[in-house]
Amino acid sequence: DSGVTQTPKHLITATGQRVTLRCSPRSGDLSVYWYQQSLDQGLQFLIHYYNGEERAKGNILERFSAQQFPDLHSELNLSSLELGDSALYFCASSLDLGVGLHEQFFGPGTRLTVL
Amino acid sequence: AQTVTQSQPEMSVQEAETVTLSCTYDTSESDYYLFWYKQPPSRQMILVIRQEAYKQQNATENRFSVNFQKAAKSFSLKISDSQLGDAAMYFCAYRSGRKNYGNKLVFGAGTILRVKS
């Protein structure tokens, strides 16, 4: 158990819908990262939040958005869902003071299926 | 942009034998970190081993060791005395060491490791 929790574990929805994925980082970790794992794109970085502020963006679609709340949990919102959005979405957390080697601890992932 | 290449989609090893997984990366940076992650059928991402680019000594963690060749931009993973529990997808990952750059991981495509009994 990495200490990172993600809910829900599985999500099945229809095209055009909107969903919210939730992540609680390890106690004390200030950074939250979101990654998408799909068959055709592999593991891709989506977005990074540090202590409530967006730090970096990857190949995140405009239909996707995220935020990190004062209690440091994070939500990834996916809207106007398409079949191609079906993937495993990981959240990872780290202490991330900006320097040095800080391990990212991954949550168990949320499996999203868009029908 | 940095890229990570794993040229072996799939590898097999006999139980108790040794196997080496390959990884190459492309970067213009001098300060960075490299990782190997294991993803078993449960899909959980588990850190296996990590290497700081400024360290010449290869990292080792029990049966897992790396061969880090900085000039060649190569970072292979050696698993000794392979066990059935080692069967998984293995990902090589790169992280920039630049301060305030963000710490995103750039992953390779992965190598499926099968362990035969």
Side-chain angles (χ1 to χ4, degrees):
Chain A
D1 185 357
S2 67
V4 179
T5 60
Q6 289 188 248
T7 56
K9 283 188 179 179
H10 302 279
L11 199 48
I12 301 174
T13 188
T15 55
Q17 295 298 305
R18 172 190 169 93
V19 297
T20 297
L21 313 184
R22 182 188 168 102
C23 168
S24 292
R26 292 188 326 149
S27 176
D29 283 355
L30 300 176
S31 270
V32 168
Y33 305 80
W34 287 96
Y35 294 89
Q36 178 195 59
Q37 184 177 23
S38 62
L39 283 174
D40 53 345
Q41 302 280 356
L43 257 169
Q44 285 199 108
F45 165 72
L46 294 178
I47 198 162
H48 169 209
Y49 275 85
Y50 173 73
N51 204 20
E53 294 187 5
E54 182 185 302
R55 284 285 293 269
K57 262 186 177 180
N59 296 323
I60 187 167
L61 299 171
E62 285 191 12
R63 300 183 286 108
F64 296 2
S65 65
Q67 57 185 135
Q68 186 180 26
F69 295 86
D71 66 353
L72 301 177
H73 91 271
S74 178
E75 293 180 356
L76 179 67
N77 300 296
L78 315 177
S79 61
S80 303
L81 286 168
E82 302 175 358
L83 295 177
D85 297 328
S86 295
L88 185 56
Y89 290 85
F90 283 108
C91 165
S93 76
S94 74
L95 181 59
D96 189 15
L97 297 177
V99 293
L101 178 58
H102 294 286
E103 179 181 345
Q104 291 186 21
F105 294 87
F106 281 76
T110 293
R111 167 72 68 185
L112 173 66
T113 302
V114 182
L115 300 175
Chain B
Q2 296 81 22
T3 58
V4 177
T5 302
Q6 293 179 249
S7 58
Q8 306 153 318
E10 193 169 325
M11 293 283 284
S12 290
V13 63
Q14 201 68 34
E15 203 175 0
E17 297 295 309
T18 297
V19 65
T20 299
L21 307 185
S22 300
C23 172
T24 59
Y25 57 94
D26 186 28
T27 184
S28 59
E29 299 177 335
S30 58
D31 183 20
Y32 52 87
Y33 304 92
L34 297 165
F35 305 84
W36 279 97
Y37 279 87
K38 171 185 177 181
Q39 187 178 42
S42 67
R43 295 295 194 177
Q44 178 71 49
M45 294 290 287
I46 302 164
L47 179 64
V48 174
I49 199 166
R50 57 191 171 192
Q51 175 82 42
E52 295 93 324
Y54 63 85
K55 287 188 177 179
Q56 292 188 343
Q57 186 174 7
N58 289 324
T60 62
E61 288 286 344
N62 301 313
R63 296 183 296 107
F64 298 87
S65 62
V66 298
N67 184 4
F68 174 48
Q69 301 288 329
K70 191 171 184 178
K73 296 180 182 175
S74 170
F75 183 62
S76 60
L77 174 69
K78 185 171 85 171
I79 306 174
S80 304
D81 186 26
S82 297
Q83 300 174 359
L84 293 177
D86 294 334
M89 174 81 93
Y90 285 81
F91 291 97
C92 179
Y94 171 101
R95 204 205 86 192
S96 171
R98 283 164 55 189
K99 188 178 178 181
N100 297 325
Y101 182 69
N103 291 314
K104 68 175 183 180
L105 291 168
V106 178
F107 288 93
T111 296
I112 297 172
L113 178 65
R114 304 192 191 281
V115 181
K116 303 175 188 174
S117 60

